[in-house]
Amino acid sequence: MQDKKYTTISIPTPLANKIKKRIEGTGFNSLSSYVTYILRQVISSIEQDEHNVEFSKEDEEKIKNRLRNLGYID
Amino acid sequence: MINPHGGELIEREMSAEKREKIINEITDFYRIIINAEQAQEIENIAQGVFSPLKGFLPENEYESVLEHSRLTNDVPWTIPILLGISDDDAKVMNPTDSIVLVGPDGPVAVLDVEEIFKFDKKKHVKSVFGTTDSRHPGVKRTEEMYDFLISGEIELIQANPHPFDRYYLKPKESRLLFKERGWNKIVAFQTRNPPHVGHEYVQKAALTIVDGLLINPIIGKKKAGDFKDEVILESYNALIENYYPKQHAVMSILKTEMRYGGPKEAIHHSIMRKNFGCTHFIVGRDHAGVGDFYGPYDAHDIFKDFPDLEIEPIFFKSFSHCKTCGGPVNDKICPHPPENHIFFKGTMVREIVNEGKIPPKEMMRPEVVEVIKSYEDPFVK
């Protein structure tokens, strides 16, 4: 059995209270699950477009030829 | 363009020189026989369809997927990619060995053995398929698997020729195609049926908010009674040729097999399309479902657990032809009662064709019907 590692972070108590109130009846069962959800969303939006796939000149030409031969591009 | 899943588009195809060397020395390697479906999944790993996976999951990653639907680095992953091995193979192999996996058409890949471990099939099926019922095809298949799993990174020796390679683009190729066409937002549509008017309606509705449409049929092992791959491809060709703006729609195939994992498979399907470069993915009613194992919209609800998936799901519920509206509609836009509607369902099309009848034009384009009719038996036996 593998346990997911968790850690503790501190946030201001008034903010925690505000979030607790906000998540009532939303399906989030804890402050932690809500904060995890929001952080995952934020981090993934920051990382958008950070990992562009690079094509070497040779690679690009080879792929373009195949796409042309298959009729995908002119 | 959208990031590959996990941040890196995996490419693990051997150079020609290395391939020649491995093939010349193949008798020095311990070899395991794999089937065509396993060989196909290895190609998917090697060509980046399953990015960021570089091989078959080791035990800690596998457990993480079962328990959290994520890899240990928090990247979403819902369907474990595994290779079972026999007790005899498990006894003689050691971590750090390099072995060769041999498919029906010859050597497929080198696998650097990382771990060999036994897996709990009940826990596996409960997590992946949400049931332990042997009537579920995924459960049955898991029960038939060997008890041991082997993990490790793979390197593809060579991709085996496939009858529909003419329709296949690797993720790197589809990404370059989208770039060449100037498409930034691309919606993927998965299918395993010839298109009916409801499919066309959904695809075109989605296309109105993006730059391009990728029609992405799943080609691979199917159930008896499913439409044959060639029928699906030809019928889509007919539809695209006659009814689609060619500058905004392309078709390429996804070579994998259905697992019928319902909601978890819907996430897996989205991840694969993200790797192809798609920004949006259409998820319909009972996506990747089978029988009544899942609720009709379970595959919609699960997306709430993955705010970091990056590819955006577009949900559709039911479609029909409304006789009063005079065209295809969905449940959101039509006020008329059910008796005014002809409902579109793949199973209904199959039944009509099976009975030797012709689907009405409100349900299926005549060009698509012509393709189906041109086959004496359009179904998988």
Side-chain angles (χ1 to χ4, degrees), chain A:
Chain A
M1 173 86 67
Q2 182 254 347
D3 283 327
K4 188 94 172 174
K5 304 276 188 292
Y6 289 92
T7 192
T8 308
I9 57 163
S10 301
I11 59 169
T13 307
L15 175 62
N17 290 337
K18 204 170 161 184
I19 297 170
K20 275 182 197 161
K21 208 167 170 192
R22 187 172 181 79
I23 64 176
E24 274 171 23
T26 62
F28 287 102
N29 52 21
S30 67
L31 183 59
S32 293
S33 66
Y34 182 76
V35 172
T36 302
Y37 179 91
I38 295 296
L39 289 179
R40 279 177 174 151
Q41 196 171 43
V42 169
I43 296 295
S44 80
S45 70
I46 292 170
E47 287 176 348
Q48 281 280 6
D49 302 325
E50 269 184 9
H51 306 278
N52 279 333
V53 177
E54 302 293 337
F55 296 94
S56 67
K57 266 246 168 308
E58 192 191 347
D59 235 12
E60 188 165 334
E61 266 323 298
K62 211 168 126 188
I63 296 174
K64 277 185 187 169
N65 272 339
R66 179 161 194 267
L67 293 174
R68 234 174 258 123
N69 290 340
L70 293 175
Y72 282 106
I73 56 174
D74 296 327

Side-chain angles (χ1 to χ4, degrees), chain B residues 14-25 157:
Chain B
M14 237 171 236
S15 64
E17 296 77 34
K18 190 166 178 186
R19 181 184 309 130
E20 198 184 329
K21 187 171 180 295
I22 296 284
I23 288 175
N24 286 337
E25 295 169 0
I157 298 172

Side-chain angles (χ1 to χ4, degrees), chain B residues 323-342:
Chain B
K323 293 173 194 164
T324 314
C325 294
V329 295
N330 65 44
D331 55 316
K332 269 191 197 165
I333 61 169
C334 175
H336 302 114
E339 54 270 25
N340 292 35
H341 293 243
I342 300 171

